[in-house]
């Protein structure tokens, strides 16, 4: 037991001094290392703080730059969208103009076709392929050509409106995404180290697989802007084309309408002149018929009037045949009576021949009277068709420049 509880060893004074110096040295070394670590830590803290602040400042600057880029493209998209919307609205008014112009062609076309049908009811020699008919056929062709052109232009306009709306949709979708991105980056820009709802997030240090490069991002919006510009320019060009088409077709239709109206007026005047001349000739023929009837009556009377002298002469000749014997002489009286009978007989025959000729002429005049009356009726029918049916109907034609 005494062996187990041995006294601690004794050290010599030099050992004591060495041990103390060793402790001093170790403490000094430990303290120096600690001081260096503290200094290094402070320097590191300061460096990291500066780096963190610089990085965060740089990130803030990048966010601000990104916000400026988004705002720039958003403004560009907004401007293009507004321009495209306004252009589409104007193009819609041009579409309405085309529709009205197309609708306005139907009545003139119907009237022109009705005029052609009505003029088929002309009769006799008046059923002629005249200038009016040629111009009416041309008017129908002009109107049908105008309607076909307007229909094609209307189809082109509808397609351009569809393309405008497609470009507008792309702009709106892009703007919607830009607005969302702007909201997100504005929120990110507002975050500070003291913002209450900042937090750690897991698995955020990565690049999304469906993300695009800045160049692709710019190209996407630039393509949308270029498409919008292209469709807007196409729409502007189409509107200019529509203006020219509406103006030109209105001029063409108005010119042809005037040409037809002038042809109608000239034809009506020509027909009236012909009718007046026919009526004048009819009046002369009627006068001549009256004159010829009087002439026939006079000829008949003359023939009747010659019966007396003929009977007297023949009675004298017959009576003188009863002279007795030598008194039955071929004297000058006998020869003169024979000559008188022959003369009267010849004259009566001449009168009868002239009467027959006069009766033939009277029949010819009667036939001519009927022919003239029929031709006047033909002209009256033509005038009714052209002046009453057609020209009055054409007064309702209105050619407008829509």
């Amino acid at each position: 037991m005494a062996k187990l509880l041995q006294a601690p060893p004794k050290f010599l004074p030099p050992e004591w001094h060495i041990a103390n110096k060793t402790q001093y040295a170790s403490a000094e070394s430990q303290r120096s290392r600690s001081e260096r670590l503290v200094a290094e830590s402070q320097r590191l803290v300061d460096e990291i703080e500066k780096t963190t602040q610089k990085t965060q400042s740089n990130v803030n600057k990048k966010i601000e730059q990104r916000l400026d880029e988004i705002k720039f493209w958003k403004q560009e998209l907004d401007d293009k969208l507004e321009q495209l919307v306004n252009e589409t609205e104007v193009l819609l008014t041009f579409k309405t103009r085309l529709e009205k112009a197309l609708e306005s062609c139907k009545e003139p076309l119907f009237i022109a076709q009705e005029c052609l049908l009505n003029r088929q009811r002309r009769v006799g020699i008046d059923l002629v392929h005249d200038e009016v008919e040629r111009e009416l056929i041309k008017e129908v062709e002009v109107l049908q050509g105008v309607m076909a052109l307007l229909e094609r232009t209307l189809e082109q306009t509808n397609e351009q409106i569809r393309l405008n709306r497609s470009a507008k949709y792309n702009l709106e979708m892009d703007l919607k995404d830009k607005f969302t991105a702007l909201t997100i980056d504005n929120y990110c820009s507002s975050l500070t180290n003291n913002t209450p709802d900042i937090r750690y997030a897991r698995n955020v240090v990565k690049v999304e697989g469906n993300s695009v490069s800045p160049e692709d991002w710019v190209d996407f919006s630039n393509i949308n802007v270029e498409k919008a510009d292209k469709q807007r320019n196409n729409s502007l060009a189409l509107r200019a084309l529509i203006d020219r088409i509406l103006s030109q077709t209105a001029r063409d239709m108005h010119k042809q309408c005037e040409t037809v109206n002038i042809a109608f007026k000239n034809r009506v005047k020509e027909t009236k002149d012909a009718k007046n001349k026919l009526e004048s000739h009819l009046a002369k023929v009627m006068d001549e018929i009256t004159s010829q009837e009087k002439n026939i009556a006079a000829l008949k009377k003359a023939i009747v009037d010659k019966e007396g002298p003929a009977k007297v002469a023949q009675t004298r000749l017959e009576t003188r045949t009863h002279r007795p014997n030598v008194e039955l002489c071929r004297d000058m009286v006998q020869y003169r009576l024979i000559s008188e009978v022959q003369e009267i007989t010849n004259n009566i025959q001449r009168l009868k021949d002239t009467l027959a000729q006069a009766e033939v002429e009277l029949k010819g005049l009667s036939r001519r009277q009927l022919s003239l009356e029929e031709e006047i009726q033909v002209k009256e029918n033509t005038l009714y068709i052209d002046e009453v049916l057609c020209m009055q109907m054409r007064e309702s034609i209105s050619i407008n420049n829509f």
Side-chain angles (χ1 to χ4, degrees), residues 190-220:
S190 69
L191 291 178
T192 66
N193 297 331
N194 299 319
T195 302
D197 58 347
I198 58 175
R199 65 196 180 283
Y200 285 108
R202 299 176 61 185
N203 299 323
V204 294
V205 185
K206 62 181 179 179
V207 177
E208 295 293 340
N210 58 349
S211 62
V212 298
S213 67
E215 292 77 13
D216 292 338
W217 179 81
V218 171
D219 287 344
F220 181 79

Side-chain angles (χ1 to χ4, degrees), residues 69-327:
E69 289 178 355
I70 295 174
K71 288 176 182 177
F72 169 78
W73 280 107
K74 182 177 179 297
Q75 186 61 46
E76 282 289 304
L77 293 168
D78 272 328
D79 292 343
K80 298 304 176 185
L81 179 61
E82 182 180 3
Q83 291 172 3
L84 193 59
V85 167
N86 292 337
E87 176 59 31
T88 303
E89 289 176 356
V90 176
L91 189 58
L92 283 168
T93 64
F94 274 69
K95 176 188 174 183
T96 302
R97 288 173 59 191
L98 279 172
E99 290 171 340
K100 288 181 178 179
L102 185 59
E103 184 65 28
S104 72
C105 292
K106 293 180 180 178
E107 183 181 3
L109 178 59
F110 171 78
I111 290 174
Q113 291 172 333
E114 278 296 302
C115 287
L116 284 171
L117 287 174
N118 286 334
R119 298 189 92 243
Q120 293 299 319
R121 292 159 53 191
R122 292 173 297 164
V123 294
I125 193 62
D126 275 23
L127 190 59
V128 59
H129 184 61
D130 54 9
E131 184 68 18
V132 176
E133 185 165 341
R134 287 192 292 272
E135 293 300 334
L136 276 171
I137 292 171
K138 184 177 178 182
E139 184 176 42
V140 169
E141 292 173 350
V142 168
L143 287 166
Q144 289 174 338
V146 166
M147 291 180 72
L149 176 60
L150 291 176
E151 285 172 353
R152 290 196 302 271
T153 308
L154 184 59
E155 290 174 0
Q156 188 177 352
T157 303
N158 287 329
E159 176 61 16
Q160 187 58 54
I161 290 171
R162 187 193 68 79
L163 292 172
N164 285 3
R165 286 172 173 167
S166 175
K168 171 178 172 284
Y169 174 80
N170 291 334
L171 289 175
E172 288 173 340
M173 291 299 99
D174 200 351
L175 272 170
K176 181 181 177 182
D177 291 345
K178 292 287 186 292
F179 178 78
T180 302
L182 194 62
T183 302
I184 291 171
D185 281 350
N186 270 324
Y187 171 74
C188 290
S189 176
S190 69
L191 291 178
T192 66
N193 297 331
N194 299 319
T195 302
D197 58 347
I198 58 175
R199 65 196 180 283
Y200 285 108
R202 299 176 61 185
N203 299 323
V204 294
V205 185
K206 62 181 179 179
V207 177
E208 295 293 340
N210 58 349
S211 62
V212 298
S213 67
E215 292 77 13
D216 292 338
W217 179 81
V218 171
D219 287 344
F220 181 79
S221 293
N222 195 44
I223 288 171
N224 286 334
V225 168
E226 287 177 351
K227 284 182 178 178
D229 273 336
K230 179 183 177 182
Q231 298 309 327
R232 179 171 171 271
N233 291 333
N234 290 345
S235 184
L236 287 169
L238 180 59
R239 284 202 288 117
L241 176 64
I242 292 171
D243 257 335
R244 290 196 299 271
I245 288 174
L246 289 176
S247 178
Q248 184 62 49
T249 53
R251 283 198 299 269
D252 290 346
M253 289 189 295
H254 189 270
K255 180 181 177 181
Q256 186 58 33
C257 181
E258 285 299 313
T259 302
V260 172
N261 289 342
I262 291 171
F264 261 118
K265 289 177 183 177
N266 292 338
R267 187 59 176 168
V268 166
K269 182 178 181 300
E270 190 177 11
T271 305
K272 283 183 176 179
D273 289 343
K275 177 174 174 288
N276 291 335
K277 289 178 181 178
L278 288 170
E279 288 173 341
S280 175
H281 281 286
L282 177 62
K284 291 178 182 179
V285 167
M286 295 294 291
D287 290 341
E288 188 59 30
I289 287 174
T290 302
S291 176
Q292 193 63 261
E293 286 174 343
K294 290 179 181 178
N295 180 50
I296 289 172
L299 287 169
K300 287 179 178 179
K301 184 177 181 299
I303 292 170
V304 171
D305 289 344
K306 297 303 176 287
E307 289 179 357
K311 289 177 182 178
V312 169
Q314 290 183 18
T315 299
R316 284 173 176 175
L317 277 175
E318 194 277 331
T319 301
R320 293 187 87 232
T321 61
H322 297 291
R323 287 175 299 168
N325 300 317
V326 75
E327 293 302 321

Side-chain angles (χ1 to χ4, degrees), residues 14-33:
E15 291 177 334
W16 180 82
H17 287 292
I18 291 171
N20 286 334
K21 287 180 180 180
T22 300
Q23 291 293 337
Y24 298 156
S26 296
E28 184 65 25
S29 175
Q30 188 68 48
R31 185 183 60 78
S32 295
R33 288 197 303 272

Side-chain angles (χ1 to χ4, degrees), residues 13 35 239 275 366 387:
E35 286 177 353
R239 284 202 288 117
K275 177 174 174 288
S366 297
E387 191 172 26

